[in-house]
Amino acid sequence: ATWTQLFFLLSGFVLAYAELSKPPKTGNARPSILRYIRRRLTVIYPAFFLSLLLKVTYAPGRSAFEWAMLPLHGLLLQSWFPICHATQSGHATCSPWLFNGEAWFLSVLLVFWFTLRPLAELFRRRSLCFSAFSLLACWLFSLVFHVLGSQNRLAGWLGCTDSFCPMVIMVAIRSTPLGYFHVFVAGVAAARIFLLTAMRDAETGGRVSADTRRIVLAAERAPLLLRFGCCCGYLCYAALLFLATSWIGSYYYFFHNGGMMPVMVLILLGAAIGTDPVTTWVFRSKPMLVLGRISYMQYLMQHVLQGWIRRAFGWQDNAVAQAIFVPCLILFSYCCQRWVERPYTEYQRFRQDKGIKGFEDRAIDWVDRKMRKAQADA
């Protein structure tokens, strides 16, 4: 569970790099924020909607609360608010983890995408020291969640005496944007560090600046620690697992909500620079590249497929089903990616190339016109 934060760190890094690696667009050349969000959703939404549809179809026996939360899931709003419902058995069901619970992070990412451009502009002209300090500050901020969540401190401060209130607080920490925004910011800071330490201006040969038009990789300029970031990061992770396992349990919220950041940043930068042996021999191998293309689909489909197998053949005492689960998951994910996700993405690109507008494009155009008019009137 501590690796969940990697989604937000990686997203902040990749999207900020795309923004910071070229001069900022202005005027009509810069797509509106709604059009930018739509472009991002084109990539992730087909797989998510398919997993949601399959999950609802094969397990239709849902409570009224779950059906009421379904529209939030369809709109990727399930993690924006920690909505929980107490069941008659004394347990609680919460909106982020209903249906396909693995998809809650997509709802969180949707919020972060609205903040990407301001964050990218904030770091565009910032120094290496500022970016490194921001990264350190984001890591230390993770301690806030340990203070709030450990031993139900926040619930005690608020005077909550029942078991339901701590559950809501736990959900707010573990599965809403509040718990991971600092991790996303750290990803943006890491992208700036990568540009300043491992890239150079292709025209001048100097350091990347805010006015740089084209950049090239300069791995030899990067510090040795970053060039071997994957090796160092995984060694640190192994040391943490074998030598300090008790810390992870005692400081669960810290490690779950950003405490693993130094390890992940090392791995991320080492993989981006590309000279690390782990990157060269493992990450760039053909099997890993194939698995990488379907990894997102695998993650979303893991419990969908497991649920099918459990209902049809049993799971707890079925060694055969457990043994074939991973190969079946890879095959099932490949088929979904090949014949569902890829055709949809290619169709959207075809529409864009031909200038074909759907209802969502017209709705975005209408909202953009209203927003521009409101800005002009102001």
Side-chain angles (χ1 to χ4, degrees):
T2 56
W3 283 84
T4 305
Q5 58 203 276
L6 180 62
F7 291 121
F8 310 114
L9 186 72
L10 181 62
S11 179
F13 179 86
V14 172
L15 297 179
Y17 173 79
E19 290 285 326
L20 296 173
S21 61
K22 55 185 182 293
K25 295 180 179 179
T26 57
N28 294 331
R30 183 182 179 91
S32 68
I33 185 62
L34 291 179
R35 196 158 295 281
Y36 175 81
I37 297 296
R38 183 198 181 280
R39 190 167 61 191
R40 299 253 53 84
L41 287 174
T42 300
V43 178
I44 71 163
Y45 195 80
F48 162 73
F49 185 78
L50 177 63
S51 70
L52 178 63
L53 181 64
L54 293 176
K55 195 75 171 180
V56 173
T57 301
Y58 88 79
R62 302 285 180 177
S63 66
F65 173 75
E66 290 175 306
W67 287 119
M69 294 297 103
L70 182 58
L72 292 181
H73 282 257
L75 296 172
L76 280 177
L77 301 177
Q78 69 268 31
S79 291
W80 288 26
F81 310 100
I83 303 176
C84 296
H85 172 68
T87 62
Q88 293 181 351
S89 60
H91 297 89
T93 56
C94 301
S95 59
W97 300 328
L98 295 176
F99 302 103
N100 193 358
E102 286 69 36
W104 67 267
F105 77 97
L106 298 175
S107 178
V108 174
L109 280 178
L110 183 60
V111 177
F112 295 166
W113 290 343
F114 284 97
T115 69
L116 174 68
R117 285 179 175 175
L119 286 172
E121 292 308 312
L122 172 66
F123 280 91
R124 184 179 295 278
R125 299 182 182 275
R126 294 299 185 266
S127 65
L128 179 61
C129 290
F130 178 88
S131 302
F133 178 80
S134 299
L135 197 59
L136 176 62
C138 289
W139 178 56
L140 293 176
F141 185 78
S142 304
L143 286 169
V144 171
F145 299 102
H146 168 71
V147 173
L148 296 179
S150 180
Q151 300 178 356
N152 296 325
R153 284 192 183 93
L154 182 57
W157 294 343
L158 296 175
C160 298
T161 57
D162 56 7
S163 60
F164 187 73
C165 180
M167 169 66 72
V168 175
I169 293 173
M170 182 271 292
V171 173
I173 292 176
R174 292 180 54 186
S175 60
T176 67
L178 293 174
Y180 300 96
F181 183 65
H182 64 296
V183 181
F184 185 78
V185 175
V188 178
R192 181 61 177 166
I193 292 173
F194 173 66
L195 286 170
L196 294 175
T197 58
M199 307 293 289
R200 61 179 173 85
D201 192 309
E203 298 174 353
T204 65
R207 175 171 288 188
V208 175
S209 67
D211 301 319
T212 297
R213 302 185 62 83
R214 192 164 58 90
I215 59 176
V216 292
L217 182 66
E220 69 283 354
R221 292 183 50 194
L224 186 65
L225 178 64
L226 299 186
R227 293 207 304 270
F228 291 88
C230 291
C231 291
C232 296
Y234 282 119
L235 285 174
C236 292
Y237 180 62
L240 186 63
L241 284 182
F242 291 107
L243 302 178
T245 307
S246 60
W247 291 2
I248 298 178
S250 302
Y251 293 88
Y252 173 78
Y253 283 109
F254 168 70
F255 285 106
H256 186 277
N257 286 66
M260 297 294 294
M261 210 179 294
V263 171
M264 295 179 180
V265 168
L266 281 175
I267 296 172
L268 188 60
L269 292 178
I273 294 171
T275 59
D276 189 284
V278 176
T279 303
T280 305
W281 299 338
V282 180
F283 291 164
R284 290 180 180 173
S285 63
K286 191 170 184 61
M288 290 298 290
L289 292 175
V290 173
L291 289 175
R293 283 195 291 269
I294 63 173
S295 60
Y296 169 59
M297 187 69 74
Q298 288 182 72
Y299 185 77
L300 291 182
M301 292 299 176
Q302 56 181 315
H303 280 180
V304 173
L305 183 61
Q306 187 184 43
W308 281 353
I309 295 175
R310 180 186 293 111
R311 291 172 67 89
F313 308 105
W315 178 265
Q316 193 65 32
D317 299 319
N318 193 335
V320 175
Q322 296 178 24
I324 66 173
F325 171 69
V326 173
C328 289
L329 176 62
I330 294 174
L331 178 61
F332 180 66
S333 301
Y334 172 79
C335 293
C336 292
Q337 193 272 339
R338 176 64 180 85
W339 286 295
V340 178
E341 184 181 36
R342 188 192 298 181
Y344 178 83
T345 303
E346 292 175 349
Y347 170 68
Q348 294 297 327
R349 290 173 179 168
F350 169 79
R351 283 179 51 187
Q352 185 178 3
D353 293 340
K354 298 298 182 180
I356 302 174
K357 290 189 175 183
F359 75 93
E360 73 279 8
D361 297 294
R362 294 185 176 88
I364 290 174
D365 289 341
W366 182 81
V367 173
D368 287 342
R369 287 195 300 269
K370 292 294 184 181
M371 292 178 65
R372 286 195 296 267
K373 185 177 183 301
Q375 293 174 355
D377 293 341

